[in-house]
Amino acid sequence: MNDKQFIKAFAPATVANVCCGFDVLGFALDEPGDEVWARKKDAPGITISAVTGVEGLSADPAENVIGVVAQKMLTELNLSHGLELQLHKGMPVGSGLGSSAASSAAAAFAVNEVLGSPFTKEELVVYAMEGERKASGSAHADNVAPSILGGFALVRDYDPLDVIPLGVPVKLYCTIVYPQIELKTSLARSILKKEIPLKKGVRQWGNLAALMAGLLKGDYALIGRSLHDEIFEPERSILIPLFNQAKQAAKEAGALGCGISGSGPSIFALSATAAQAEEVRVAMENVYASSGIELKTYVSQVPEQGARLIEEPVYQPAQS
Ligand code: HSE
């Protein structure tokens, strides 16, 4: 590998909140995900020479999350050379699957490698959070942490950041149904009430603690009982067509639990087996069958691995 070659990194989509863990819990998926390519350039500054896979994303490094993340890392290290970056998106924006987080995580991972790995994976989470700040106005870590670290990741605190990687203590399969409307995280955050009634808070932290216990004990029934959100889901689900029907269908098809993925509109359901997760996919697809709403679905085991370097990128540049 010489200095002129691109380092290529992939970072996966993620499910944030996981019902009862708003802004503090997330897990990684196998797919989809984003690729960021990075290489050094002699001139200072950052250029983004390609953005592919989705329409309308800026290639201005001050506007695109990958440029923001990379700049923060360069500034921290006080380096005089610059970076050329490319973003190849394998997932839609505004989907609730941590699209900006996957780009930010892949950027942090690729840039770190180009610079000779000055940062640990845990430190990369802090830089990737700057991409989230740019994209949604809030530097939450519940997508970027699992996208970088893989498995489940819990954010105990933000000040200072204390992320607890939980890995994959129990096998779980995730069904994602993405009704193809764009829902911006900034909008889905702006509609939330700022106060939480005590009774609802008590239920929520009871469920979150029990979900942690269920994961660590491998207790599927407890995981299922804990996947509830009586605070944010009622406020946000009105933005997602057929959410209640899809959730009911997932539960009837045997899912352990079901909820909004991140800020939506994607819906996630967790199952104990791959076969169950497939049945859940079919049941949820049936809900949307005659709705006229375009749907994308994914079934993925919750993977141990998050962001990684890739030799064989999914994106293939056009031959010139
Ligand atoms: N925790 C964040 C939210 C995730 O729900 O707004 C956004 O992807």
Side-chain angles (χ1 to χ4, degrees):
M1 169 81 52
N2 63 43
D3 255 13
K4 295 281 174 283
Q5 275 177 290
F6 276 110
I7 296 273
K8 297 159 191 154
F10 168 88
T14 42
V15 171
N17 300 337
V18 201
C19 293
C20 47
F22 180 79
D23 272 2
V24 300
L25 183 66
F27 63 81
L29 298 171
D30 263 336
E31 54 141 9
D34 288 348
E35 290 174 22
V36 170
W37 299 15
R39 68 179 170 195
K40 273 186 200 164
K41 66 182 178 74
D42 296 331
I46 290 169
T47 51
I48 299 178
S49 54
V51 177
T52 67
V54 295
E55 300 282 306
L57 274 188
S58 173
D60 176 346
E63 293 304 317
N64 192 303
V65 295
I66 69 167
V68 172
V69 171
Q71 186 58 61
K72 194 86 186 168
M73 294 168 78
L74 284 186
T75 305
E76 176 70 29
L77 295 170
N78 203 13
L79 294 174
S80 56
H81 66 75
L83 290 167
E84 178 187 349
L85 305 175
Q86 295 193 358
L87 171 61
H88 305 298
K89 288 207 64 78
M91 57 192 293
V93 297
S95 58
L97 295 173
S99 181
S100 54
S103 299
S104 303
F109 208 86
V111 169
N112 192 44
E113 192 68 21
V114 169
L115 300 181
S117 303
F119 302 111
T120 64
K121 276 190 184 183
E122 282 73 15
E123 287 167 340
L124 294 183
V125 172
V126 177
Y127 293 101
M129 283 168 67
E130 291 305 315
E132 293 292 70
R133 192 192 306 281
K134 176 72 193 170
S136 72
S138 135
H140 51 274
D142 50 342
N143 289 110
V144 288
S147 188
I148 289 174
L149 304 170
F152 283 81
L154 175 68
V155 185
R156 190 198 63 80
D157 202 357
Y158 277 91
D159 190 17
L161 187 70
D162 185 1
V163 173
I164 301 159
L166 297 166
V168 187
V170 57
K171 257 193 186 153
L172 282 167
Y173 296 82
C174 182
T175 308
I176 294 285
V177 166
Y178 164 42
Q180 292 190 48
I181 54 165
E182 184 181 335
L183 183 49
K184 285 204 181 332
T185 298
S186 49
L187 170 73
R189 292 183 81 86
S190 70
I191 62 164
L192 298 177
K193 294 194 188 97
K194 301 290 174 278
E195 307 286 332
I196 296 171
L198 182 60
K199 206 168 154 190
K200 289 191 178 181
V202 169
R203 270 218 183 108
Q204 196 88 343
W205 56 70
N207 277 320
L208 180 58
L211 177 58
M212 295 296 95
L215 288 171
L216 297 174
K217 288 166 64 157
D219 183 336
Y220 287 115
L222 182 55
I223 292 170
R225 291 207 301 285
S226 311
L227 288 169
H228 289 292
D229 168 16
E230 290 175 25
I231 299 174
F232 307 103
E233 185 178 293
E235 292 173 351
R236 283 179 163 175
S237 58
I238 50 172
L239 302 173
I240 305 172
L242 300 176
F243 172 80
N244 290 328
Q245 293 89 326
K247 180 173 172 174
Q248 193 182 338
K251 297 290 278 292
E252 283 171 8
L256 298 168
C258 176
I260 301 172
S261 176
S263 55
S266 287
I267 303 169
F268 83 98
L270 283 173
S271 298
T273 66
Q276 195 78 69
E278 279 299 337
E279 280 180 37
V280 169
R281 182 216 294 252
V282 172
M284 290 166 92
E285 276 173 351
N286 285 342
V287 169
Y288 288 92
S290 55
S291 68
I293 297 166
E294 296 270 331
L295 216 61
K296 254 202 169 86
T297 61
Y298 306 91
V299 171
S300 157
Q301 188 172 352
V302 178
E304 292 279 354
Q305 205 182 15
R308 54 195 173 269
L309 297 182
I310 44 170
E311 292 292 324
E312 294 284 331
V314 174
Y315 171 77
Q316 294 295 343
Q319 300 294 320
S320 55

